Structure formats: C-alpha cells, structure tokens
Amino acid sequence: MLIYGSRLYGKVDEVPGVGHVATKFSHLNFVPLLPREGWLVASEGREGWTGRVIPMSGKSVLVAWARAAFVIVGVVAWLGVVSAYAGSGPHAAMGPGAVAALCTAGMFLSYRWGWISRASPERALELAQLAGVDDTTLAQLCRSLGVPLPAAVRARIPRGR
C-alpha cells in the first residue's frame, strides 16, 4: 500500500513562546521527498498545525532528509544484525551493528544538539519578527536571550517598560 501526501518534517530552530521551523514536504510512505514550503509552526496538534509560511530553511530540509536516512539505513542495518547473528554468529553482526548504532545515535542527536534544535539568538529574533510578536514580547525575548533589542523596536517601545 502506498501512502502519499504532504506533511511537516525537519523540525529545527525552536524559539520558546514563538514556535519552530519545519518544512512541508511531499512524502511517499512518510519518507520526505520534495520540499514544498517553509513554515514557522506556532503549534501542532491532532488537527494539524498553525503558523505561517516563511522562506524555506536549508537547515530544515537537510535535517529532514538526514533523519529519514537514519531511519531507513538504521532499520536495514538492524535487520542485518539479526540476520547475520542468526546465520553466522556475533562476529558477522559487528559491521551491521556499528552502522545501526551510528544511525540510532545520529537520530537521537539530531533532536538533542542545540545547534540543530534551538535557534541562535539572531535567528530567534528573526523568527519572532516573522511571527509578528508585539514589541513588548520581543523585548522580553531579547532580555531572555541576552541580546540587545534592535534599534527600530527600541524606538517604538515607550520608556519605562
């Protein structure tokens, strides 16, 4: 059975209180194939996602394809481990086992490494502005990130806030 359609893949650049970047892909059996558009996702749920279209992120596209490769190659390698172990013993399973372990680690780390999962301070400000957050929220975000407020925004905020 073939399952096709479009969905979000490549979750990167998370900004607390704003959202994260993902790419809408055409997929076949849940393998992302063709990137269609970039999204700043404000929330996701059972009914879908909310957010806005933004310029496509090369980082998101590459992460989506890398994660798909980790899953596909990892599953094949784990099957190779089982097959080799059953047929020839533990020494024959070492090669596929190493590949399977690397794919598993790569998948795990792709969600945990900060430079992939979290936006840099500059990118966080860019995404917050694309999301249309108000100036007060933008000022709070700058304080939490420890970066200066852009001069144009500083000029719009009344003193004392």
Side-chain angles (χ1 to χ4, degrees), residues 8 41-51:
L8 294 178
V41 180
S43 66
E44 285 185 272
R46 295 182 74 160
E47 305 298 318
W49 70 87
T50 60

Side-chain angles (χ1 to χ4, degrees), residues 15 17 28 67-68 72 94 108 115 119 129-130 132 138 145 148:
V15 181
L28 181 62
R67 287 176 180 157
I72 293 166
M94 288 179 66
F108 174 76
W115 60 275
Q129 290 174 327
L130 285 171
L138 194 58
L145 294 171

Side-chain angles (χ1 to χ4, degrees), residues 10-36:
K11 178 181 178 180
V12 297
D13 291 346
E14 188 166 1
V15 181
V18 175
H20 66 270
V21 174
T23 302
K24 186 176 179 182
F25 276 86
S26 296
H27 71 84
L28 181 62
N29 289 339
F30 302 105
V31 175
L33 299 174
L34 299 172
R36 297 175 61 190

Side-chain angles (χ1 to χ4, degrees), residues 24-106:
K24 186 176 179 182
F25 276 86
S26 296
H27 71 84
L28 181 62
N29 289 339
F30 302 105
V31 175
L33 299 174
L34 299 172
R36 297 175 61 190
E37 57 191 5
W39 276 81
L40 175 56
V41 180
S43 66
E44 285 185 272
R46 295 182 74 160
E47 305 298 318
W49 70 87
T50 60
R52 59 180 57 192
V53 175
I54 62 171
M56 198 168 315
S57 164
K59 179 180 176 181
S60 174
V61 171
L62 291 176
V63 165
W65 284 335
R67 287 176 180 157
F70 286 143
V71 169
I72 293 166
V73 173
V75 167
V76 170
W78 281 115
L79 292 173
V81 167
V82 171
S83 175
Y85 192 83
S88 303
H91 292 321
M94 288 179 66
V99 172
L102 287 173
C103 287
T104 302

